[in-house]
């Protein structure tokens, strides 16, 4: 300790001597020790003095720290560092990060950058400090992931272009690796043109713009289409500025829909509606055009902003009506194909682009109209007669029924009044049944002429569509083309014989069938159902007949025309009383008659009065 103290004293003395010598020099600066001894002692580093550490100049320390920062990597730190590609093998990239050894990164981590080359600088993260061979293992993917969100947000905010590797296809688009983040590329954002084969993009590295970021769900949406839209927009403005109606342009079929075709005019899309593709009717545009086909189109119309352009293809050729020969006229027979069927008729293409309408009323001589589908089908070849033709309006009406004779021509010979025939039930109405005797000859059976005995509310209660019925012609209107038919007239009217069997006063035994409002019904047979008023249900003991009671009834009313029968039970057991009352009434009438003066008596009294007046008596 004494030696150390002596040494310190010597050092202090030497220092003091050196400082004293320096102060004698004219340019020497005054030290802190000399200028302010108290402060010097207070700030003096006794630890360094005791340990024998010489003070280092601050400038040298800063230079040393800078060299360490530039040339030394702490392999224990998880921070991302920048390295330089020094060599590339078939599988790996050798990266120099200024560590004690160079690191290795698998080339799989650079799939997004197939142009990687020696000398490129890349960001890496130390994954394994030293493997079994002493090799430093680095990870570019992890480094990218750490920095990815910062870069993605910066690219989104600044609108910069990023590179991405298309990994695979997914529903509605593609998955793209951007900075190590899986971003979604919608199918609509791949190109300005509709994409038909997504698989061709898988494995490609493309440029993208980050268009949307969802921080909550960590979703990123990118677009390749946005990069080329700006150029296309310039082309659009140039093309749109030159558009004129009637102008013919060349385009490429971009998309085909059920209602028309979109044509790319060089950055501007126009629509050829299905009706403007061909003068003939077509079911789908792909019958006329195909994708990527080049064709000439004519501009038909566009809106004020020229953003919606209506194109035409058929307008490049003359209208087929103009090519019709002058020899074609009303009354001529033509052949054509059924192209469209509606409820009211069928359209027949008699020449390419030339159609005529066969109204359903011109398909059959029958006045009972049916649907056009009952006569023809789409695609049928038919022969018809031209009924009307207007070339200016481009309209033509045709008829099929005119190809056969009118069945009403000799109707009076084939269907005279009273003749019997068989027909098919074709239709019902609330008031009757339409029966077809032959094609073009329909007749109506009124509901009252279906049965002699049954009370029918609707024809379906009596027959069915398609049933065969025997009929009798009741009336014939040739001018109005109307036939009145009857079915019940084919049989004898059973009410003719019932008129005697159930005459007023006849008695019959039956059972109460139903109790109805204001009385009851009694069924005497299948045809005769009589009504019994309530007061006529009284039995001899004063009680009333009930449903199921069997009793004797007397007919008190019979109407053959209205098929009305009224019966009574009460008059049976009150018949004697009725007879007594009737006899008394008859006797009283006789007595009254006898009490009346006769004509002779009246004449005698008149003569007597006359004589008295004449003074004879």
């Amino acid at each position: 300790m004494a030696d150390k103290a002596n040494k310190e004293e010597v050092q202090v003395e030497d220092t003091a001597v050196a400082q004293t010598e320096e102060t004698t020099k004219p340019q020497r600066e005054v030290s802190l020790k000399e200028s302010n001894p108290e402060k010097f002692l207070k700030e003096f580093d006794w630890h360094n003095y005791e340990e024998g550490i010489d003070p280092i100049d601050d400038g040298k320390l800063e230079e040393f720290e800078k060299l360490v920062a530039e040339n030394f990597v702490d392999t224990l730190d998880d921070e991302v560092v920048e390295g330089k590609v020094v060599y590339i093998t078939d599988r790996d990239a050798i990266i120099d990060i200024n560590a004690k050894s160079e690191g290795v990164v698998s080339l799989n981590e650079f799939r997004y950058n197939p142009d990687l080359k020696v000398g490129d600088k890349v960001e890496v993260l130390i994954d394994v400090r030293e493997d079994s061979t002493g090799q430093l293992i680095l990870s570019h993917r992890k480094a990218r992931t750490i920095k990815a969100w910062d870069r993605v947000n910066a690219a989104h905010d600044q609108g910069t272009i990023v590179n991405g590797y298309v990994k695979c296809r997914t529903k509605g688009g593609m998955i793209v690796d951007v900075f190590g983040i899986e971003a979604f590329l919608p199918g609509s954002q791949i190109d300005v043109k509709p994409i038909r084969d997504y698989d061709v993009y898988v494995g490609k590295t493309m440029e993208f713009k980050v268009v949307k970021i969802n921080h909550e769900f960590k979703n990123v949406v990118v677009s390749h289409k946005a990069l080329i839209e700006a150029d296309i927009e310039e082309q659009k403005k140039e093309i749109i500025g030159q558009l004129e109606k009637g102008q013919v342009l060349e385009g490429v079929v971009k998309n085909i829909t059920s209602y028309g075709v979109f044509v790319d005019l060089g950055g501007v899309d126009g629509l050829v509606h299905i009706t403007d593709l061909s003068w003939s009717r077509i079911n789908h545009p792909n019958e006329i055009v195909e994708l990527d086909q080049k064709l000439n189109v004519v501009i038909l119309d566009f809106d004020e902003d020229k953003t919606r352009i209506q194109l035409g293809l058929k307008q490049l050729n003359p209208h087929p009506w103009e090519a019709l020969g002058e020899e074609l006229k009303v009354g001529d027979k033509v052949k054509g194909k059924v192209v469209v069927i509606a409820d009211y008729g069928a359209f027949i293409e008699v020449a390419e682009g030339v159609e005529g309408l066969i109204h359903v009323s011109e398909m059959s001589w029958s006045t009972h109209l049916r649907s056009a589908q009952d006569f023809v089908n789409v695609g049928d070849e038919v022969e018809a007669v031209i009924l009307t033709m207007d070339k200016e309006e481009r309209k033509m009406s045709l008829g099929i029924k005119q190809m056969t004779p009118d069945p009403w021509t000799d109707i009076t010979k084939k269907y005279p009044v009273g003749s019997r025939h068989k027909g098919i039930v074709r239709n019902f109405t609330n008031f009757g049944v339409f029966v077809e005797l032959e094609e073009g000859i329909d007749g109506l059976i009124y509901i009252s002429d279906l049965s002699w005995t049954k009370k029918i509310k609707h024809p379906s209660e009596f027959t069915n569509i398609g049933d065969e019925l025997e009929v009798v012609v009741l009336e014939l209107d040739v001018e109005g083309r109307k036939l009145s038919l009857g079915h019940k007239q084919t049989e004898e009217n059973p009410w003719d014989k019932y008129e005697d069997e159930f005459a007023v006063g006849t008695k019959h035994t039956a059972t109460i069938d139903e109790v109805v409002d204001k009385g009851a019904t009694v069924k005497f047979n299948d045809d005769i159902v009589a009504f019994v008023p309530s007061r006529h249900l009284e039995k001899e003991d004063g009680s009333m007949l009930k449903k199921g009671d069997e009793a004797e009834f007397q007919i008190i009313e019979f109407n053959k025309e209205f098929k009305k029968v009224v019966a009574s039970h009460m008059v049976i057991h009150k018949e004697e009383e009725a007879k007594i009352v009737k006899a008394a009434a008859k006797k009283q009438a006789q007595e009254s008659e006898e009490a009346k003066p006769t004509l002779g008596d009246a004449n005698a009294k008149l003569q007597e009065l006359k004589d008295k007046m004449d003074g004879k008596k």
Side-chain angles (χ1 to χ4, degrees):
M1 293 293 292
D3 293 338
K4 184 176 181 181
N6 292 333
K7 183 179 180 180
E8 291 176 353
E9 290 176 359
V10 172
Q11 289 177 346
V12 172
E13 289 177 356
D14 292 341
T15 304
V17 171
Q19 291 177 349
T20 302
E21 290 178 350
E22 291 177 2
T23 55
T24 60
K25 296 179 181 181
Q27 290 92 8
R28 184 176 63 85
E29 294 181 0
V30 179
S31 67
L32 179 63
K33 176 180 178 182
E34 293 175 334
S35 63
N36 193 345
E38 293 181 1
K39 185 177 181 182
F40 172 76
L41 291 173
K42 185 178 180 180
E43 297 179 356
F44 187 74
D45 192 343
W46 293 101
H47 175 73
N48 288 346
Y49 178 74
E50 291 174 356
E51 296 294 330
I53 302 174
D54 294 332
I56 305 298
D57 183 64
D58 291 341
K60 292 182 178 180
L61 283 174
E62 290 177 1
E63 184 179 356
F64 176 76
E65 290 175 355
K66 184 177 180 182
L67 289 172
V68 170
E70 292 177 353
N71 298 283
F72 179 73
V73 173
D74 185 2
T75 58
L76 295 177
D77 195 1
D78 289 335
E79 291 184 1
V80 175
V81 297
E82 187 177 68
K84 182 178 180 182
V85 179
V86 295
Y87 188 72
I88 297 177
T89 69
D90 293 340
R91 300 176 58 184
D92 304 310
I94 309 302
I95 312 295
D96 181 10
I97 61 170
N98 291 329
K100 68 176 183 179
S101 63
E102 295 168 339
V104 177
V105 178
S106 173
L107 287 180
N108 287 333
E109 299 189 20
F110 294 99
R111 287 181 301 177
Y112 74 95
N113 184 12
D115 298 327
L116 182 71
K117 61 185 180 299
V118 173
D120 287 351
K121 291 185 177 182
V122 295
E123 292 177 334
V124 293
L125 184 73
I126 299 170
D127 201 8
V128 179
R129 284 187 298 137
E130 193 175 281
D131 63 3
S132 58
T133 62
Q135 183 69 57
L136 184 65
I137 305 299
L138 307 177
S139 174
H140 177 62
R141 179 179 57 80
K142 291 181 179 180
R144 291 179 72 223
T145 302
I146 292 173
K147 296 290 185 179
W149 279 104
D150 293 338
R151 292 176 175 173
V152 165
N153 281 285
H156 178 262
D157 296 338
Q158 299 170 13
T160 55
I161 298 173
V162 298
N163 285 334
Y165 175 77
V166 182
K167 297 177 64 176
C168 62
R169 179 179 177 180
T170 187
K171 184 178 181 180
M174 317 290 287
I175 298 297
V176 179
D177 184 331
V178 178
F179 301 135
I181 293 177
E182 287 191 347
F184 178 60
L185 172 63
S188 61
Q189 295 298 316
I190 298 176
D191 203 338
V192 290
K193 296 183 291 185
I195 302 302
R196 294 185 286 275
D197 185 8
Y198 286 52
D199 294 332
V200 298
Y201 293 92
V202 176
K204 286 188 176 182
T205 298
M206 301 169 61
E207 292 183 334
F208 301 97
K209 284 189 71 174
V210 180
V211 294
K212 185 177 180 182
I213 297 178
N214 188 319
H215 294 280
E216 181 179 358
F217 298 101
K218 299 294 182 182
N219 291 336
V220 179
V221 180
V222 296
S223 171
H224 179 69
K225 174 182 176 182
L227 299 177
I228 55 179
E229 279 183 330
D231 295 336
I232 292 178
E233 196 63 31
E234 292 298 324
Q235 296 178 16
K236 274 187 178 182
K237 291 179 181 178
E238 184 177 351
I239 295 173
I240 287 176
Q242 301 174 356
L243 291 182
E244 294 180 3
K245 291 182 181 180
Q247 186 179 9
V248 178
L249 299 174
E250 184 182 60
V252 178
V253 177
K254 178 179 179 181
N255 192 21
I256 299 176
T257 67
S258 60
Y259 55 86
V261 176
F262 288 94
V263 178
D264 184 356
L265 301 176
V268 179
D269 291 345
L271 173 64
V272 183
H273 195 268
I274 187 172
T275 57
D276 291 317
L277 283 171
S278 172
W279 291 113
S280 300
R281 290 181 185 262
I282 57 175
N283 295 317
H284 197 277
N286 56 21
E287 299 176 17
I288 304 296
V289 297
E290 57 185 19
L291 288 171
D292 300 325
Q293 177 183 347
K294 289 186 178 181
L295 45 78
N296 290 329
V297 290
V298 60
I299 297 177
L300 302 180
D301 200 0
F302 45 75
D303 59 11
E304 293 181 0
D305 299 329
K306 298 183 180 180
T307 55
R308 294 184 179 180
I309 305 171
Q310 182 182 346
L311 305 174
L313 181 64
K314 71 180 184 181
Q315 287 79 4
L316 296 174
N317 300 312
H319 198 288
W321 273 87
E322 299 173 3
L324 283 181
E326 294 295 332
E327 66 276 3
L328 200 62
K329 60 186 182 301
V330 173
D332 289 350
K333 294 180 181 179
V334 292
K335 291 182 179 180
K337 183 174 69 173
V338 179
V339 290
V340 174
I341 293 181
D343 290 337
Y344 55 85
F347 288 91
I348 313 299
E349 187 177 51
V350 298
E352 185 178 357
V354 178
E355 296 178 1
L357 171 65
I358 304 179
H359 193 271
V360 67
S361 62
E362 302 298 337
M363 292 182 175
S364 171
W365 289 107
S366 174
T367 55
H368 172 55
L369 296 183
R370 284 174 273 172
S371 175
Q373 288 91 335
D374 296 334
F375 299 96
V376 293
N377 298 308
V378 173
D380 288 352
E381 294 284 343
V382 297
E383 188 174 11
V385 175
I386 299 177
L387 304 180
T388 63
M389 185 169 62
D390 187 340
K391 290 187 176 181
E392 292 184 1
E393 294 292 329
R394 296 170 179 173
K395 292 182 179 180
M396 182 188 301
S397 64
L398 307 173
I400 295 178
K401 70 182 184 181
Q402 290 78 6
M403 300 295 296
T404 58
D406 185 353
W408 281 82
T409 303
D410 55 351
I411 189 73
T412 54
K413 295 181 181 178
K414 291 170 31 178
Y415 301 101
V417 174
S419 60
R420 292 194 177 200
H421 309 275
K422 289 184 179 181
I424 304 298
V425 176
R426 293 300 184 192
N427 197 13
F428 290 150
T429 67
N430 291 329
F431 52 83
V433 179
F434 281 100
V435 177
E436 183 183 59
L437 301 180
E438 66 173 85
E439 179 65 33
I441 303 295
D442 293 339
L444 174 64
I445 304 176
Y446 283 98
I447 197 169
S448 59
D449 288 320
L450 288 172
S451 173
W452 289 112
T453 57
K454 293 181 180 179
K455 292 183 179 180
I456 302 171
K457 295 181 180 179
H458 192 272
S460 59
E461 300 173 9
F462 183 82
T463 186
N464 298 309
I465 301 292
D467 287 354
E468 185 179 66
L469 283 182
E470 189 174 359
V471 296
V472 173
V473 178
L474 303 181
E475 294 181 15
L476 176 60
D477 182 359
V478 179
E479 293 184 0
R481 291 177 177 259
K482 294 182 180 179
L483 268 178
S484 179
L485 307 175
H487 173 68
K488 71 180 184 181
Q489 289 79 2
T490 60
E491 301 174 351
E492 184 181 354
N493 187 355
W495 284 82
D496 290 340
K497 62 178 181 179
Y498 293 149
E499 189 174 16
D500 296 329
E501 184 179 349
F502 293 92
V504 174
T506 57
K507 298 177 181 180
H508 309 271
T509 301
T511 303
I512 299 293
D513 187 43
E514 292 287 343
V515 176
V516 296
D517 187 29
K518 297 182 180 181
T521 59
V522 178
K523 188 174 183 180
F524 292 123
N525 59 36
D526 292 339
D527 299 327
I528 302 297
V529 177
F531 174 70
V532 181
S534 297
R535 63 190 183 87
H536 288 275
L537 291 171
E538 183 182 348
K539 294 192 289 187
E540 192 172 1
D541 60 2
S543 62
M544 307 297 287
L545 290 173
K546 298 179 181 179
K547 182 178 179 180
D549 291 348
E550 186 178 62
E552 188 176 18
F553 297 90
Q554 181 175 322
I555 305 300
I556 59 175
E557 183 181 349
F558 182 90
N559 189 315
K560 182 178 72 172
E561 181 179 357
F562 296 101
K563 300 178 180 61
K564 181 179 178 182
V565 179
V566 181
S568 172
H569 173 69
M570 180 187 67
V571 298
I572 298 295
H573 60 79
K574 289 189 176 181
E575 188 175 2
E576 291 301 325
E577 181 181 346
K579 286 181 179 179
I580 294 173
V581 172
K582 187 177 181 180
K586 185 177 180 181
K587 183 178 180 181
Q588 184 178 0
Q590 288 177 349
E591 290 176 352
S592 299
E593 186 68 25
E594 290 176 356
K596 291 180 181 180
T598 63
L599 182 59
D601 293 339
N603 291 335
K605 289 184 177 292
L606 287 172
Q607 187 64 40
E608 183 180 356
L609 180 60
K610 184 179 178 182
D611 292 343
K612 186 177 180 179
M613 291 175 66
D614 292 340
K616 291 182 179 180
K617 288 187 178 181

